[in-house]
Every structure is written in structure tokens, then in C-alpha cells.
Amino acid sequence: MQKEGMHIRRSVAAVVVVAALAVGGIVGTWAFGRSGLTVLGAAKVPLVVAADRPINVGTYVNGFAAVVKPVLPAVVNISSSKIIKAQRNLPDSQFFNDPFFQQFFGNQFGQMQRPRDQREKSLGSGVILSADGYILTNNHVVDGASDIRVSLNDKREFQAKVIGTDPKTDVAVLKISASGLPTMPLGDSSRIQVGDLALAIGDPFGLGETVTMGIVSATGRSGLGIEGYEDFIQTDASINPGNSGGALINASGNIIGINTAILAGEGGGNRGIGFAIPINLARNVMEQILQHGRVVRGYLGVHVQNVTPELAKAFGIQENHGALVADVAPGTPGARAGIEKGDIILALDGQPVEDINQLTLRIMQMSPGTLVHLKIVRNGQPRDVAVTLGELPEKNETVASNPSGGGALDGVQVEDLTPDIARQLGLPALAKGVVVTDVDPASVAADRGLQRGDVIQEVNRQPVSNMRQYEQAMSRANKQQALLLVNRGGATVYLVIEAH
């Protein structure tokens, strides 16, 4: 199924992130918008995990046939279709169906006005991971499909059923009724490095099995807006429509990723920037589906934002990494453990936390009930916090938007937050603070992300409940810099307002 791309601004030209989807597919939905799972249930499936063998460059002097040939049969073609219901409530249908009108013109206009359901078809790829027919693919390949057919390398065709899907990672697990099937051995995507050889296998444009070669261009790509949870492997191995759900393998012939998307120009097509879901992440999702019938994720219960150099300076820390806690949801594991707004999470279980995406990915792959140890900084002082994770609610996310920070408050107008204004902003009637009523578009505050409707609740870590407290806090603040805690639509974020 085709998925809408995202325009990303660049200094030279605009480019579009588009999913590498099927020919003739339809525009799909945003991954965050779907929290439900399609589940039929399944027993635990044994997966083949292979150790990467040492690579002798001389082995590939005549090409990569020895690597590709054993695994090629484990990559399948997936053809899916869905029925698009036509809109039937047309305003003129009663007129055309009138017997008096039909006496003169027959039913030709009535036939023209009677809409018909449409069948949308798309193509994708998948990878067989067990001999008894479990297949890993992308959710967008089968999303909403009423009929799914899998074609094997040996020309056999099977009807497939959906065992489970996870739109937030764009992973789906299918099952066909077969045995003795060829399988793809699993690699370890945590061990891959930039520059490693990468081969993409799939069925682009419905042409049939196709292999392309490239390298691992980058790891840990996120912030693209393609999926809810992003940790993509970037590769220049050619990925095209129909490749979605296919395999990205390493030089040992082990799968390291599931091909998912491409970065393309406005004309579409491959531009040498493709993305694959790391197999470790896809495997975790698959095992959750097979074990629980759904994906169960760990939950901390805090909203976080990246630590920028400006925020690090404002909070008086040397590190330019970590996750700044902008809010803590009441009654959550984080709240019970004593985490507070303004805490900066620097490490999780002894491993450094570079940014909010890394923290989120690590937490969500842990099981509820897991005891984790966080290294945080509060008011410049390091401390350790132990947290027992809960289970992520389906409609809750652990990450708030990451604002840009920096700039002066010139051009910003505020007034008291009344209960009526609070309700209009979707906030509790008793919410406290001052509401931003206007921001000069040419001001540095606007450039750094302060918006009309934002509610300022703190200035330089001092609570602000009304205009009087706001003015007092501003009078004590350095006119050139202020650290604001802003409530935007119910989620709080920190903004550094600093004059140039």
C-alpha cells in the first residue's frame, strides 16, 4: 500500500521521504494514528540466529553469488488487495431514479450515478524466518488488505493470514500453510558499522527477485516522521517501490534489516538513500506478537526533549547529550520514582543516553516490570534513580516534541491565564501561568519556537502563576537570557530564550 511521503527542507533542494511501496498502491495513514493490532495469535516460533563469519575479501573477487544464492529463496513476493467502498449518498441520485425521468431516458443516468466499490492492489516483499511459514514484512504492505497472496521463489503461491501488526514500527507478521520452507538466518544489527557491505533483496515494481548492492551509509537514523519509533539503517543499496518488506543482508548472508523507505526527489525513484528497520528491532516486535498476541512495551511516563547546547548552558551542565525531562505524568513509574521536571537523564543502566530517540527505543523494547537505573542531574547535582517500568498505554507516548530554543523576549505579549482561556487551549480550568497572546514573527522568540497560545509556567525555574509573578521573574532574570517552561496543548517543554 502506498504511503504518503514527508517533505524535508534542505539548503539546496526539497526532498521527499516516501515509503518504498507497491506499484499502484494507495496513500496510507500516519503510523502514530494507529495503535490497534490485528491479531490471530501464534505459538512461539524458533528462529535461526547465525554468527557472522570472518570475511575474506578474496572470496568476492567473482561477485556475490555465493552469498546471495542460499538466501534468495527465503525472500517472497507479497500481493495484497483491499476494497475501497464508494460514496453512495449522492445528492442527485433521487432525481435520476425518478420513474418519470426514467420513462424518457431509461436507466442510463441512474447507472452513471450508481458508484461502484473499487479494488486497490499493491505489491511488496517479505522474508521467511521459519520453515513452517512465518514471514516478516512491513505493515504498510498489508495494511487494510482483505486478500494477501505470497509467491515463493519456486513459483508456488499461498494465501496468507495476518498474525499481527505493529504500525508504530511498520512491522507485520504473516503466516502461510506450508512446511520445509527456506529461511533467512538472522544477523545482529547492533554490530553493523558504517561502511559495511549491504545487499538489498526484494521484488521492485513486480519484476521478480532483484538484488542490489551498496554499503551501510549510517545507523540510528530517526526524526524522519516515517514511523512512530525510528532507528533506521541507511543504505545506498538501491531500494524501489515493491522492495518494502524485503531483506537487507550483510556479507555473511544474514539479514540485518527490513527494507522500508527511500528518500527521493520530487520525481520519485531511488536516489541512493534508503532505510531499513534493524532486524533486532523487528525481531523484538515479532517475538512480542508471537508471545503475547500484541506488542507490550516498557513505559517510564515522562515527556522529554533533547539537550541542546543552549539548554545545557541554561541548566549549568557540561554534557551536550541526554534527555531533559519536560513533564512527568502523574501516577506513572517515573513519578513514583521521584523523577521531576528539569531532571536530565544522562545514562540508562550504565549506558550513556545520547538523545531522546535512543532513550525511547531502549525503554520501549524492555518488558514492563523491568527495574532500570537512571543517572540524572538535578540542579547541577548527579544522582541515581531506580525505576520499575510500567506498560506503555496504547494512546500514550513517552516523547514530546523537541522545540528549538534561543532568543530574546522582545516582541512577546502575555496576559493572565483565565479558566475560560485555559479551556479553549485544552487545559484544565485551574491551570496556572501566563498565556502568550502575540509573538512578533520577526522576533528571535518566534524564530526559536515560542507561539501564540503557549502558556509560560516557569521563568528560570521559578513558578509563574500570573502576570505579577511573571513580571517579578523577568525583573530578576538576565534580560539577555531566560529559561522558560512552556505548556503547549497539555505537554510541557523547555525553551531557552537568548538574545543574539
Side-chain angles (χ1 to χ4, degrees):
M1 305 293 173
Q2 192 154 2
K3 187 176 185 179
E4 188 175 22
M6 179 189 71
H7 290 274
I8 302 177
R9 296 188 182 276
R10 290 288 184 269
S11 58
V12 179
V15 293
V16 183
V17 175
V18 293
L21 309 183
V23 178
I26 64 169
V27 174
T29 56
W30 178 257
F32 264 93
R34 293 179 54 89
S35 59
L37 297 173
T38 306
V39 176
L40 298 178
K44 186 166 183 177
V45 176
L47 303 176
V48 178
V49 181
D52 291 333
R53 63 182 185 272
I55 299 172
N56 182 354
V57 178
T59 305
Y60 309 116
V61 66
N62 293 319
F64 300 92
V67 176
V68 173
K69 187 175 181 179
V71 299
L72 199 60
V75 180
V76 301
N77 167 268
I78 297 175
S79 173
S80 61
S81 63
K82 64 186 298 185
I83 301 297
I84 306 298
K85 294 293 184 181
Q87 177 63 44
R88 301 185 184 280
N89 297 324
L90 297 176
D92 295 330
S93 60
Q94 205 169 18
F95 172 73
F96 286 113
N97 289 328
D98 184 88
F100 179 78
F101 183 88
Q102 291 187 4
Q103 179 179 353
F104 294 95
F105 297 99
N107 198 36
Q108 57 178 317
F109 291 97
Q111 293 292 340
M112 291 174 61
Q113 291 297 313
R114 188 175 296 119
R116 297 181 180 180
D117 295 341
Q118 300 293 320
R119 180 178 292 273
E120 297 281 0
K121 297 183 178 181
S122 69
L123 298 174
S125 305
V127 184
I128 304 173
L129 293 185
S130 73
D132 57 347
Y134 284 95
I135 297 171
L136 195 62
T137 187
N138 286 138
N139 173 65
H140 72 253
V141 171
V142 298
D143 185 31
S146 56
D147 181 67
I148 303 171
R149 297 185 180 275
V150 171
S151 300
L152 306 188
N153 178 266
D154 61 9
K155 308 305 180 184
R156 285 185 293 168
E157 186 175 289
F158 296 87
Q159 192 82 20
K161 63 180 180 180
V162 177
I163 298 301
T165 66
D166 181 39
K168 291 181 179 179
T169 55
D170 199 13
V171 170
V173 180
L174 310 181
K175 178 69 168 65
I176 60 175
S177 297
S179 60
L181 296 174
T183 61
M184 179 82 70
L186 298 177
D188 182 357
S189 55
S190 69
R191 298 177 58 188
I192 64 175
Q193 301 181 65
V194 174
D196 284 353
L197 180 73
L199 300 168
I201 308 176
D203 186 6
F205 301 107
L207 293 173
E209 288 176 334
T210 300
V211 181
T212 55
M213 184 188 75
I215 62 170
V216 173
S217 305
T219 60
R221 288 293 193 214
S222 62
L224 301 174
I226 302 174
E227 312 302 344
Y229 297 112
E230 297 181 341
D231 187 31
F232 290 118
I233 301 168
Q234 180 182 326
T235 180
D236 65 344
S238 184
I239 298 174
N240 289 289
N243 269 120
S244 284
L248 187 71
I249 68 172
N250 61 15
S252 296
N254 302 328
I255 183 172
I256 55 173
I258 299 295
N259 300 324
T260 298
I262 59 174
L263 191 66
E266 293 186 0
N270 179 271
R271 292 294 186 273
I273 301 180
F275 302 102
I277 302 168
I279 194 61
N280 289 13
L281 175 58
R283 175 187 177 187
N284 177 274
V285 171
M286 179 178 183
E287 289 178 341
Q288 291 273 346
I289 290 173
L290 297 178
Q291 183 176 355
H292 303 293
R294 63 190 181 96
V295 180
V296 179
R297 295 187 166 98
Y299 177 55
L300 191 57
V302 299
H303 292 275
V304 290
Q305 62 187 99
N306 283 326
V307 177
T308 64
E310 294 85 0
L311 285 170
K313 179 181 177 182
F315 278 84
I317 64 172
Q318 299 298 317
E319 297 86 352
N320 284 336
H321 68 90
L324 171 62
V325 178
D327 201 4
V328 183
T332 61
R336 289 191 293 269
I339 297 176
E340 300 177 0
K341 293 178 184 177
D343 288 348
I344 298 174
I345 302 172
L346 296 178
L348 169 63
D349 287 339
Q351 299 297 315
V353 170
E354 295 298 327
D355 53 34
I356 61 174
N357 188 64
Q358 186 184 82
L359 176 66
T360 303
L361 286 168
R362 288 169 63 183
I363 291 293
M364 72 92 166
Q365 292 185 76
M366 294 180 175
S367 300
T370 301
L371 179 66
V372 299
H373 297 272
L374 302 177
K375 178 184 176 182
I376 69 172
V377 172
R378 179 180 300 167
N379 298 324
Q381 299 300 313
R383 61 176 63 194
D384 295 317
V385 177
V387 186
T388 300
L389 299 180
E391 180 179 340
L392 177 67
E394 286 189 355
K395 294 185 179 180
N396 206 338
E397 299 299 330
T398 59
V399 181
S401 59
N402 183 34
S404 55
L409 285 180
D410 292 342
V412 177
Q413 298 180 21
V414 299
E415 65 179 48
D416 282 329
L417 178 67
T418 65
D420 183 57
I421 294 175
R423 281 191 292 266
Q424 293 179 41
L425 295 174
L427 303 177
L430 298 179
K432 301 296 184 182
V434 293
V435 61
V436 176
T437 58
D438 189 46
V439 182
D440 184 348
S443 68
V444 288
D447 180 64
R448 293 298 186 170
L450 194 64
Q451 302 174 8
R452 185 172 182 270
D454 285 349
V455 176
I456 300 174
Q457 296 183 323
E458 287 184 9
V459 176
N460 289 344
R461 310 303 302 279
Q462 299 299 311
V464 169
S465 298
N466 49 47
M467 282 292 295
R468 181 179 59 82
Q469 292 181 0
Y470 173 78
E471 290 169 355
Q472 290 176 346
M474 290 302 300
S475 67
R476 293 192 297 266
N478 181 343
K479 297 296 184 181
Q480 299 301 105
Q481 178 177 306
L483 175 65
L484 305 182
L485 179 67
V486 173
N487 190 316
R488 180 175 297 161
T492 54
V493 294
Y494 283 98
L495 287 173
V496 174
I497 309 299
E498 186 175 21
H500 296 304

